[in-house]
Amino acid sequence: MGIIQSNMQSFILGLTGFFLAFFDVLLLVIRPLWEEINKFICKATGLKIKWVLTVFLLILFLSVFFFTTFFLHLNMKKTNGPIAISAMFVLTIFFSIFIILVNQIRLSLFSIITAAKFYRVLEVFFICCIAVVLSGIAITDLDPVSVIYNRTSALVLSLILLAAAIYSIFQVNSAKREEAGRWHVPDKKPHTGWNAQWILPDTKADMSESNIWICYRKTFDMENIPGHLYADIAADSKYWLWVNGDKVVAEGGLKRGPNPYDTYYDTIDIAPFLKKGRNLIAVLVWHFGRNSFSHKNSGQAGFIFNAISQEICLISDSSWTAAIHPAFQTTGGPKPNFRLAESNVLFDANKDIPGWTSGDISGELFKPVRLEGRPPVSPWNNLIPRPIPMWKDYGLKEYVNSRIFPVVSDGKSIECLLPYNAQVQPYFEIEAQAGLFVDIRTDDYQGGGEYGIRTCYITRAGQQTFECPAWMNGHKVIYSFPEGIRILSLKFRETGFDTDFAGKFECSDPFLNKLWQKARRTLYVTMRDNYMDCPDRERAQWWGDAVIEIGESFYALDPSSHMLAKKAIHELCGWQKKDGSLYSPVPSGNWNIELSLQSLAGIGWFGIWNYYLNTGDKQTITTVYPKVKRYIDLWQVNSEGKISHRKTKWDWGDWGENADVRLLEAEWYYLALKGLGAMADVADRPEEAKDYEEKMRLIRENFRKNFWNTRYNAYRFPGYKRGTDDRANALAVVAGLADIKDYADIKRILSTAFHASPYMEKYVLEALFLMGFEECALSRMKKRYAEMVQSPYSTLWEGWEIGSLEYGGGTYNHAWSGGPLTLLSMYAAGIRPVKPGYDEFEVMPQMGGLAFLKCTVPSVKGPIELDIKKDEKTFSMNIKSPEGTKCVAGIPSEFSGDIKITGSSGEVFEELKTAGSGYLQFIITPGKWSLSAAKKNNP
């Protein structure tokens, strides 16, 4: 019996090991052969058979299953129970393979091969089954001769295999949990009609390397040109598209991703560029290949193109050709810092491929592509529609200090001035000998002290032009040409988010006008794939910054900018961790630390709720609400209104001195509850809204008792030892937690303490407006921003000192400094929404000592225009209110005499009784209105 059992054990283990090895080898070997096999079968049969190899594998494994069953049946009478148990495990292995393959029959083999998660799961399954078989044999082995040998060896081997399985299972489960957290852009379901496959050059080169540039080409004939031909295009990571030599897309694609797994795709109408007869599509793809603070590296370059109409089916398949572009190379050091996904660009013009985007080319550089599978396929997974517009292209422009060309370089750097801080792609036209090295960068190359992006160029002989494909930013473009190069032209191309500067603000104080304009410029230069803290050092969507930027966009830019806010909100929730925590920056491939105060700001009153208040986008609220609820549920508040501190890896409240972080935490948590309560009502969750209100009540009623310090006459967290925090006392007012009787003391603090960074300064200034101290607010604003406004730079800085490394500070273009833009429009002009989507808004100006003020707010209902004049005796206000709105207009109470209200078309108004509000309030209908009043004591 021992001999029979030993033989059976060997057979079982050998057979299992053989088929495990067979399947592994098959996965590796069949990949380059599958396309040729499929072509041969299709040609021989005249059919387009897509799944033939998968069916073949299924039949093969089924045959093995039945063969094993038959063999074990013949030997069952000669074996004992342990062998029967072992046989059952083997049958389980092959039966499970059968189930898996049946489930995969709808996918191509390439999807199976390249789906790393499926492959890993299958390996884990095999390991577990072998370990269980060995353990069963060892435990039940009764043969007295081989018991010690069989038990010991089998147990040791099974323990090793089980340990490997546990590790792999942990990875698989982690991937599955993350997979379950995917989100999809509302209103746009993932594309379900992908006939195209992801493609790559069929080369031995490693397509996971960083900074790879790949060329793709496809020629085809057309008899009839459709009115529209929409091409769905995705690339890892960016692409440039030409159709018949015309550049159709410059820098397409978005950084990954909507969540840690999926990828965005663009939709482009290419019909206007097509012609009858032979057509050519050419695509240049730049694979970043680097994780960053704004990009999740998939680990694999890739490109997919899907354009189908009644006239043509134009998809990325085996008919395309590709080549790695030999002219694009990697520079030496210094290289961009680790926060950036982009690499420096080095272009050797001697290795360029002339005419590859517009005509026939000779040589064997371009070869048939390798197919990587039809979506959804790893590592790009689901493809999500691009939720923001393609970039606005302002065209090639002359520099501000443009000179007369041609000139011959003397070897010194040439500094070309830009009209303002912008996202630009430098351009030159030169005549040179071959092999000379040109360096192009901006004055912001070391913004914030870290290396950013630069471009290098190696000349070929003769006349040549070059435009940097990678954007950079700054106030100057610095060209370094070797001596003797003949320079024919220097220009730049500005690109940026496709929105208009529809908002306006102008008042009698030139300082405030300039501050508002600089804030708008800073906002615009920090918008692209996502909201950025800065466009140089990081390009990262930190949520504290994003909250400020989103608020600014409602007053400075047209409603197309709202799409970037919507994208940001979905990404914040799409990257939610397994434990429910939210973090930033996202997207991100090399950062996952929660900054809890920024996360609370993002989900609360000034973040997601403020987005809804300005846009009326209910669907976004209902979609993300469960995610933000899951996050807020991580926090606890007791019956005394005290918040349980959540210790994170970085308990950060703000740069600058004396940040009372625990007090700030309580206030941000309250503001988050306030936002969640409002969202719960929108999402029709009344019980949850009541729960939030109850928690808010506990905090509100106990706030002064818990935090007011009579020694300092200030709000301070118990145990906090440093100087009283201006930002924490201000946020108590902004949140609605501060007692009105404490306003005088808080005003004193905000007039003497200057600890807040530009990030939290927005809330300090807002508190002064809310308390009715607008003169103090404007005075502090001018004091704090004096150096920035007087600076020659067109943008605002990260800190209160100048930004670049040579001056020892942070970046000189940081959008979190733009809070005054929002405040001047929202409080000084007084225009703010009352009901979501501007169904109702109010105009309650707090002008302080300003003599006049003009403001335009580009609301979703249309532009709101305001023109106010004020002196010691009179007040007049002209309002243009758009259709579909109700406006509550306020005349300051000090001007309560000789009131006149007239509408452009005989509109009617209604006076409101609002004693103690500080305003005489009137409801006015859409149209143009003129309101005027005088002080009663005028002679």
Side-chain angles (χ1 to χ4, degrees):
M1 180 65 71
I3 294 174
I4 295 173
Q5 181 175 337
S6 179
N7 289 338
M8 181 60 75
Q9 290 171 10
S10 300
F11 170 78
I12 292 169
L13 294 177
L15 189 65
T16 305
F18 171 80
F19 279 103
L20 171 60
F22 173 80
F23 192 82
D24 283 349
V25 171
L26 190 64
L27 288 174
L28 295 173
V29 173
I30 208 67
R31 179 174 181 150
L33 298 177
W34 163 235
E35 186 63 21
E36 295 304 319
I37 294 172
N38 193 55
K39 283 181 183 178
F40 174 78
I41 295 173
C42 291
K43 186 176 181 179
T45 62
L47 301 174
K48 293 185 176 180
I49 303 173
K50 300 178 180 179
W51 322 123
V52 64
L53 202 57
T54 304
V55 173
F56 170 75
L57 286 176
L58 177 60
I59 294 171
L60 176 64
F61 280 109
L62 278 174
S63 300
V64 172
F65 172 79
F66 287 115
F67 169 77
T68 307
T69 305
F70 178 74
F71 182 85
L72 291 171
H73 176 72
L74 292 178
N75 286 272
M76 193 64 70
K77 295 179 181 179
K78 301 178 183 179
T79 60
N80 60 12
I83 296 178
I85 294 173
S86 299
M88 290 172 61
F89 283 123
V90 175
L91 294 178
T92 303
I93 291 173
F94 291 111
F95 182 77
S96 299
I97 292 172
F98 164 73
I99 296 298
I100 291 172
L101 287 171
V102 168
N103 186 52
Q104 291 293 328
I105 208 159
R106 63 184 179 86
L107 300 175
S108 70
L109 182 65
F110 269 106
S111 295
I112 299 175
I113 292 172
T114 57
K117 291 171 188 170
F118 168 76
Y119 180 72
R120 197 186 307 151
V121 169
L122 194 59
E123 288 279 26
V124 170
F125 177 74
F126 267 121
I127 293 171
C128 291
C129 287
I130 294 172
V132 172
V133 170
L134 290 171
S135 300
I137 293 172
I139 294 170
T140 59
D141 188 353
L142 301 177
D143 179 41
V145 176
S146 57
V147 64
I148 296 176
Y149 172 78
N150 284 344
R151 268 190 197 163
T152 303
S153 60
L155 278 172
V156 170
L157 183 56
S158 65
L159 287 173
I160 293 172
L161 291 170
L162 282 171
I166 290 170
Y167 174 75
S168 298
I169 289 169
F170 174 80
Q171 290 182 310
V172 171
N173 286 342
S174 176
K176 284 183 177 178
R177 285 193 298 267
E178 291 176 327
E179 192 79 11
R182 287 181 178 171
W183 64 272
H184 301 298
V185 178
D187 302 321
K188 294 183 179 180
K189 296 180 180 179
H191 199 299
T192 56
W194 290 98
N195 292 300
Q197 295 204 53
W198 285 90
I199 57 176
L200 277 174
D202 192 5
T203 173
K204 293 181 180 179
D206 188 354
M207 291 294 100
S208 67
E209 290 289 331
S210 63
N211 197 33
I212 298 175
W213 295 76
I214 305 169
C215 306
Y216 294 95
R217 283 168 52 94
K218 165 70 176 178
T219 57
F220 58 99
D221 294 316
M222 291 200 72
E223 295 182 2
N224 298 311
I225 306 302
H228 297 281
L229 181 59
Y230 293 103
D232 297 320
I233 306 171
D236 193 342
S237 309
K238 294 283 186 175
Y239 71 92
W240 287 254
L241 170 68
W242 292 263
V243 177
N244 295 321
D246 292 327
K247 185 181 284 186
V248 179
V249 176
E251 197 200 300
L254 292 173
K255 293 179 177 179
R256 298 181 75 248
N259 52 56
Y261 308 101
D262 296 335
T263 305
Y264 291 112
Y265 74 87
D266 299 341
T267 299
I268 308 294
D269 186 3
I270 64 171
F273 305 94
L274 299 175
K275 62 184 181 180
K276 288 187 177 182
R278 179 56 57 96
N279 287 263
L280 169 66
I281 290 178
V283 183
L284 177 65
V285 170
W286 183 14
H287 176 58
F288 291 159
R290 284 162 48 106
N291 281 316
S292 75
F293 275 20
S294 60
H295 176 70
K296 175 69 179 290
N297 180 27
S298 74
Q300 178 75 55
F303 172 72
I304 190 167
F305 185 101
N306 196 92
I308 300 174
S309 71
Q310 292 181 346
E311 293 82 3
I312 192 170
C313 178
L314 187 59
I315 60 175
S316 49
D317 57 16
S318 58
S319 65
W320 288 60
T321 58
I324 296 177
H325 200 307
F328 286 98
Q329 301 172 16
T330 300
T331 68
K335 296 186 177 182
N337 76 88
F338 74 97
R339 302 173 185 85
L340 294 171
E342 299 88 340
S343 297
N344 293 329
V345 176
L346 170 59
F347 188 86
D348 187 343
N350 300 284
K351 299 178 180 179
D352 198 3
I353 315 172
W356 77 272
T357 63
S358 58
D360 293 332
I361 54 175
S362 59
E364 299 181 353
L365 184 63
F366 282 83
K367 297 180 179 180
V369 296
R370 188 173 79 212
L371 303 183
E372 294 292 311
R374 183 174 291 110
V377 62
S378 177
W380 308 284
N381 305 307
N382 285 328
L383 292 176
I384 308 299
R386 179 187 183 112
I388 60 176
M390 303 297 288
W391 312 134
K392 180 183 286 189
D393 186 340
Y394 294 86
L396 281 175
K397 296 181 179 180
E398 301 283 349
Y399 290 102
V400 171
N401 60 337
S402 179
R403 59 199 70 197
I404 298 176
F405 294 104
V407 296
V408 177
S409 170
D410 60 3
K412 298 179 181 179
S413 296
I414 301 175
E415 293 189 354
C416 298
L417 299 179
L418 295 165
Y420 38 70
N421 194 347
Q423 299 170 6
V424 300
Q425 292 154 262
Y427 165 94
F428 64 73
E429 182 179 358
I430 60 173
E431 189 175 335
Q433 58 182 304
L436 301 179
F437 188 86
V438 178
D439 181 273
I440 308 170
R441 61 185 69 185
T442 72
D443 61 317
D444 202 26
Y445 174 58
Q446 282 184 265
E450 302 282 357
Y451 289 110
I453 307 297
R454 60 189 169 93
T455 295
C456 303
Y457 180 86
I458 299 175
T459 62
R460 58 177 173 81
Q463 190 169 323
Q464 54 212 279
T465 62
F466 179 71
E467 182 176 322
C468 301
W471 69 272
M472 50 188 86
N473 80 284
H475 289 86
K476 302 176 185 176
V477 174
I478 303 169
Y479 296 89
S480 295
F481 292 109
E483 186 176 357
I485 286 183
R486 191 164 181 256
I487 304 170
L488 305 177
S489 177
L490 298 178
K491 296 180 180 179
F492 71 94
R493 182 185 304 277
E494 180 186 357
T495 59
F497 195 90
D498 192 0
T499 188
D500 293 327
F501 292 172
K504 298 177 183 178
F505 179 87
E506 181 185 359
C507 69
S508 56
D509 190 329
F511 180 95
L512 298 178
N513 296 337
K514 195 170 184 179
L515 175 57
W516 196 95
Q517 292 161 5
K518 284 194 172 190
R520 183 178 64 183
R521 170 50 50 184
T522 312
L523 170 64
Y524 189 66
V525 83
T526 54
M527 297 170 64
R528 202 169 177 98
D529 293 59
N530 46 262
Y531 279 115
M532 298 177 277
D533 59 337
C534 54
D536 40 33
R537 183 186 65 208
E538 300 180 26
R539 303 183 176 180
Q541 191 166 253
W542 296 94
W543 256 89
D545 303 65
V547 167
I548 302 288
E549 291 169 293
I550 290 170
E552 290 180 75
S553 70
F554 296 134
Y555 288 99
L557 307 173
D558 77 57
S560 65
S561 65
H562 302 172
M563 289 184 275
L564 192 60
K566 182 176 181 177
K567 176 178 181 285
I569 291 167
H570 282 287
E571 285 172 347
L572 174 66
C573 297
W575 286 73
Q576 188 166 41
K577 288 185 179 181
K578 175 187 69 173
D579 63 5
S581 59
L582 300 171
Y583 66 97
S584 64
V586 291
S588 178
N590 55 5
W591 179 275
N592 64 356
I593 297 174
E594 177 191 354
L595 270 72
S596 57
L597 272 61
Q598 287 205 3
S599 295
L600 289 171
I603 69 170
W605 192 256
F606 290 104
I608 297 176
W609 180 254
N610 192 42
Y611 166 81
Y612 177 58
L613 193 60
N614 280 272
T615 66
D617 179 7
K618 181 178 179 179
Q619 188 172 23
T620 291
I621 297 297
T622 56
T623 300
V624 303
Y625 173 76
K627 295 274 190 177
V628 294
K629 181 187 184 303
R630 187 179 172 209
Y631 179 66
I632 204 68
D633 286 346
L634 298 176
W635 300 75
Q636 302 295 325
V637 58
N638 65 19
S639 59
E640 296 177 343
K642 295 179 179 179
I643 291 88
S644 298
H645 175 58
R646 289 186 63 246
K647 180 69 176 176
T648 61
K649 292 183 179 179
W650 191 10
D651 279 346
W652 184 89
D654 187 27
W655 296 133
E657 298 177 343
N658 302 328
D660 193 344
V661 176
R662 294 292 299 277
L663 179 53
L664 288 168
E665 179 184 55
E667 294 159 347
W668 280 123
Y669 174 67
Y670 183 86
L671 282 164
L673 289 175
K674 188 176 180 181
L676 265 290
M679 281 187 267
D681 284 331
V682 174
D684 196 21
R685 306 280 189 94
E687 293 303 317
E688 292 169 10
K690 289 180 182 178
D691 179 56
Y692 298 134
E693 178 52 42
E694 175 60 20
K695 291 177 180 177
M696 290 172 64
R697 184 190 64 79
L698 289 171
I699 297 170
R700 187 170 56 246
E701 292 179 358
N702 291 281
F703 189 79
R704 196 173 194 278
K705 180 178 69 175
N706 289 335
F707 299 116
W708 185 256
N709 188 306
T710 54
R711 176 184 174 187
Y712 295 94
N713 284 329
Y715 290 102
R716 296 169 62 97
F717 189 85
Y720 174 73
K721 304 294 185 183
R722 290 173 289 165
T724 296
D725 186 5
D726 52 348
R727 53 178 89 74
N729 278 269
L731 202 60
V733 175
V734 173
L737 291 168
D739 198 310
I740 293 177
K741 66 184 178 183
D742 298 325
Y743 278 10
D745 284 312
I746 294 174
K747 178 187 177 185
R748 170 185 51 80
I749 295 167
L750 304 188
S751 299
T752 56
F754 300 94
H755 307 309
S757 80
Y759 164 50
M760 286 299 294
E761 183 67 17
K762 185 260 185 184
Y763 304 104
V764 175
L765 297 171
E766 187 161 8
L768 288 168
F769 277 113
L770 287 169
M771 291 187 293
F773 304 132
E774 53 265 28
E775 290 274 13
C776 186
L778 295 174
S779 175
R780 175 168 172 138
M781 188 183 294
K782 294 177 69 171
K783 178 177 181 177
R784 293 289 263 166
Y785 283 88
E787 191 173 353
M788 291 194 207
V789 171
Q790 293 162 7
S791 160
Y793 289 115
S794 64
T795 45
L796 304 177
W797 317 334
E798 180 177 6
W800 296 113
E801 297 183 2
I802 196 67
S804 64
L805 181 65
E806 77 180 289
Y807 295 98
T811 71
Y812 70 47
N813 29 227
H814 227 80
W816 76 2
S817 299
L821 183 154
T822 303
L823 301 177
L824 289 170
S825 298
M826 186 176 183
Y827 292 103
I831 304 174
R832 46 189 177 261
V834 175
K835 292 184 179 180
Y838 272 86
D839 286 347
E840 181 179 331
F841 69 96
E842 63 183 19
V843 181
M844 302 290 169
Q846 294 177 258
M847 295 177 63
L850 298 176
F852 76 85
L853 182 152
K854 295 181 180 180
C855 185
T856 299
V857 174
S859 81
V860 292
K861 290 290 197 300
I864 299 167
E865 298 178 6
L866 177 67
D867 186 349
I868 305 176
K869 294 181 175 64
K870 178 175 73 73
D871 57 31
E872 293 182 358
K873 298 180 179 180
T874 62
F875 176 92
S876 65
M877 176 165 62
N878 294 318
I879 302 174
K880 181 182 178 182
S881 180
E883 290 296 325
T885 64
K886 181 173 78 171
C887 174
V888 180
I891 298 174
S893 297
E894 59 185 302
F895 300 97
S896 57
D898 195 20
I899 296 174
K900 296 179 182 179
I901 302 178
T902 58
S904 57
S905 303
E907 295 91 339
V908 296
F909 65 89
E910 176 186 352
E911 183 175 356
L912 299 177
K913 304 299 181 183
T914 52
S917 69
Y919 295 89
L920 305 173
Q921 298 185 25
F922 305 88
I923 297 176
I924 59 176
T925 54
K928 294 182 179 180
W929 289 86
S930 177
L931 298 85
S932 63
K935 289 185 177 179
K936 276 190 174 181
N937 58 357
N938 285 345

